Amino acid sequence: QVQLVESGGGLVQPGGSLRLSCAASGSIFSMYRMGWYRQAPGKQRELVAAITSGGSTNYADSVKGRHTISRDNAKNTVYLQMNSLKPEDTAVYYCNAAGTGLYTGRNYWGQGTQVTVSS
C-alpha cells in the first residue's frame, strides 16, 4: 500500500507559478512511475506529466515548456513546477503512483489539491 499526500495548491494569478509536492510512503518509491493528473469541472481526469524512477519524463502537449516534473527518490517525493499558469490550468491535481516491474498493476492516488488560476 502506498500513501500519497499532495501539497502546494492554491490561488494564483495568470502568468504566475506554483510548485506541487507529493510525498509517498508505505512502499518502495523507486518501484513506481509517478505522475500528476488533473481534473477540471465537467471534464475527465487527464495526465499532466509523469516520470519514471530513472528520470524519463513525458508531458501533456498543453503544459510542455511550462511545467516540469521531478522526483527525489531519497525523499520519496515528486514535484510539479508549474510556470506561466493559465486559467485553463485550473483543476484539482492528483498525484499517482503506478507500479513497475514486480509491482505492475498496483495503482494509487492522492486526495488531490486544488489549483485555481484567476485574476
Side-chain angles (χ1 to χ4, degrees):
Q1 191 79 3
V2 175
Q3 293 78 44
L4 302 172
V5 179
E6 301 110 331
S7 60
L11 173 64
V12 63
Q13 292 187 340
S17 298
L18 280 176
R19 189 175 84 152
L20 305 183
S21 299
C22 172
S25 62
S27 189
I28 303 173
F29 186 67
S30 61
M31 294 299 294
Y32 292 86
R33 170 184 173 269
M34 301 301 297
W36 286 98
Y37 289 72
R38 67 186 180 188
Q39 188 166 18
K43 294 188 176 181
Q44 289 189 329
R45 191 172 297 189
E46 62 176 0
L47 175 69
V48 177
I51 185 167
T52 67
S53 61
S56 297
T57 59
N58 65 289
Y59 295 91
D61 287 343
S62 59
V63 307
K64 280 181 182 176
R66 298 189 298 122
H67 297 355
T68 302
I69 189 171
S70 60
R71 65 190 289 166
D72 186 334
N73 289 333
K75 295 183 178 180
N76 289 1
T77 301
V78 61
Y79 306 96
L80 183 67
Q81 177 66 45
M82 304 188 293
N83 299 325
S84 302
L85 283 161
K86 304 176 181 180
E88 51 264 44
D89 291 316
T90 295
V92 178
Y93 283 70
Y94 296 91
C95 180
N96 172 261
T100 63
L102 293 175
Y103 287 33
T104 299
R106 302 185 186 191
N107 198 44
Y108 303 98
W109 294 93
Q111 81 285 355
T113 185
Q114 177 70 47
V115 171
T116 302
V117 184
S118 174
S119 55

